[in-house]
Amino acid sequence: MEPVREKLWDPALRAFHWLLAFFVIAAWVLGKFGPANMWLHFWCGYAVAGLLVFRLIWGFVGPEPARFRHFLTGPGKMLRYARGMFRRVPSYWPGHNPLGALSVIAMLLVLAAQVGSGLVSDPDDFINVGPLAGQVSQATSRAAVGWHNLGAVLILALVILHVGVILFYRFWKREDLVRPMLTGWKLVRRDD
Amino acid sequence: MRLILAAAFAVTPALALAQDDSAVQDALKARQGYMAAISANMGPLAAMAKGDVAYDEAQAVFHANNLAALGNYEVEMHFLPDTAQGQVEGSHALPKLWDNLDDVRAKHEDFKVAAAAAPEGVKGGQAQVGAVVQSLGGTCKACHDNYRAK
């Protein structure tokens, strides 16, 4: 079957993707290199929190390719996809492929955990105390700073993996995944 | 006689170790107490800056004076060698603190300078306390980011 051009990603999902990328990168860079007063980092975090809530809702009520039940598959399907992954042909996959789905879930979970640990963090500097730090024990709000730092490492790893795989698709499989996330249009093939 | 000598030799290292250990524990208590004292005075100022507690100039100056005194205190003497996290139970100081003592001193100097300006700085109202808390808190963060275990 020939691949066909299809409007795959809806505008809300595309906006979500690029806004999330922007605010995650901004929060990350501000966290590592930003000024001592981290209010901008905080607001980036709140934006990420809002985006995550949107994505959760969209995963249930959004268009088909955005829905969790559409791209969350079993290990069998993942393995089958992984086996054919290194062939030098485009996937023409209509949405998140079964393996990429894992990455989506990993990112959403790690980002949600990052928002959570940030909200309850107390770094003991009296100016960058998370707004919910008072709701948990002092030991927890202290430890949360450590989790938040670990989360930053995990997020960096996931983002590098994400960009690396996109480059792999672009140059090895000769499939552009960036343009579809910008325009919504993608060459897809539905075998069944 | 020989027995006594032998016993003395056997006991000496244990004694030295015990003494060493108490010096280390004292150092740990002293420097963590120093941080606790800073915290005890920063807390009320931060609460005032946020508006959780009503502005009270006398109270603000009181805590700012304590912080200025704490800024003058040379806490370095309590950072004994080999008392980093992993070397001593209960320590949260990273080993690299001892590799960058010049930087640590410079950062403590920043705190000292900010704290010295605090008693005058907090006068005038809530916004003034806010500015002081910002500049003091920034010096806490600068050092914690690099040298305190997370």
Side-chain angles (χ1 to χ4, degrees):
Chain A
M1 225 169 78
E2 277 302 296
V4 291
R5 249 170 81 82
E6 196 179 285
K7 189 86 176 192
L8 184 67
W9 304 117
D10 68 274
L13 187 116
R14 281 178 280 143
F16 159 80
H17 172 270
W18 294 110
L19 286 171
L20 187 71
F22 174 80
F23 284 113
V24 167
I25 291 168
W28 202 96
V29 171
L30 283 166
K32 286 276 180 241
F33 309 107
N37 187 318
M38 302 182 75
W39 69 275
L40 259 177
H41 172 89
F42 277 46
W43 281 97
C44 287
Y46 303 149
V48 169
L51 288 164
L52 290 176
V53 170
F54 162 79
R55 188 61 186 90
L56 189 66
I57 296 169
W58 216 232
F60 291 106
V61 306
E64 213 41 41
R67 295 202 182 187
F68 296 128
R69 65 135 202 263
H70 172 82
F71 60 82
L72 286 182
T73 57
K77 224 171 163 186
M78 287 176 199
L79 232 91
R80 220 173 312 135
Y81 184 86
R83 239 178 263 135
M85 202 175 118
F86 292 94
R87 282 183 297 140
R88 295 204 70 169
V89 288
S91 71
Y92 297 125
W93 200 272
H96 295 302
N97 69 60
L99 216 52
L102 281 181
S103 171
V104 173
I105 296 306
M107 270 210 220
L108 294 178
L109 287 178
V110 169
L111 286 174
Q114 189 69 346
V115 166
S117 66
L119 286 170
V120 300
S121 274
D122 184 352
D124 233 6
D125 61 7
F126 298 93
I127 50 177
N128 301 308
V129 182
L132 300 181
Q135 311 297 312
V136 299
S137 75
Q138 201 179 4
T140 304
S141 62
R142 273 284 193 93
V145 181
W147 306 332
H148 205 62
N149 275 279
L150 175 66
V153 177
L154 292 178
I155 288 167
L156 179 66
L158 286 172
V159 169
I160 288 173
L161 179 70
H162 183 59
V163 173
V165 170
I166 282 167
L167 290 173
F168 166 77
Y169 272 76
R170 175 70 184 79
F171 293 108
W172 182 260
K173 292 176 77 69
R174 302 190 180 97
E175 183 173 34
D176 185 353
L177 298 180
V178 177
R179 193 181 301 269
M181 196 45 84
L182 285 165
T183 64
W185 292 92
K186 186 177 189 290
L187 273 174
V188 303
R189 185 163 53 199
R190 295 173 196 275
D191 286 330
D192 34 36
Chain B
M1 186 64 204
R2 205 173 282 176
L3 198 71
I4 294 170
L5 265 177
F9 274 118
V11 167
T12 308
L15 220 91
L17 202 77
Q19 220 161 25
D20 215 10
D21 190 55
S22 90
V24 164
Q25 289 308 316
D26 284 351
L28 216 61
K29 264 187 273 177
R31 72 197 195 204
Q32 291 180 354
Y34 176 72
M35 300 300 168
I38 292 174
S39 185
N41 287 283
M42 279 295 281
L45 288 183
M48 232 180 257
K50 269 188 284 183
D52 293 347
V53 171
Y55 177 75
D56 176 333
E57 187 168 287
Q59 275 298 305
V61 171
F62 174 88
H63 292 298
N65 276 330
N66 275 350
L67 287 164
L70 288 163
N72 278 322
Y73 185 79
E74 296 296 346
V75 72
E76 186 182 334
M77 64 176 279
H78 304 302
F79 284 86
L80 299 180
D82 304 321
T83 57
Q85 188 191 47
Q87 296 170 317
V88 180
E89 173 105 22
S91 172
H92 302 295
L94 293 175
K96 67 174 172 175
L97 185 150
W98 283 266
D99 302 332
N100 299 282
L101 281 177
D102 284 341
D103 185 48
V104 176
R105 283 183 199 121
K107 286 183 159 64
H108 188 262
E109 184 67 23
D110 290 342
F111 168 63
K112 182 178 178 172
V113 169
E120 276 304 309
V122 295
K123 288 179 186 166
Q126 187 189 348
Q128 269 64 33
V129 178
V132 166
V133 169
Q134 289 296 323
S135 82
L136 282 170
T139 67
C140 300
K141 175 176 155 58
C143 208
H144 288 174
D145 275 359
N146 292 322
Y147 303 116
R148 194 176 76 155
K150 290 171 189 101

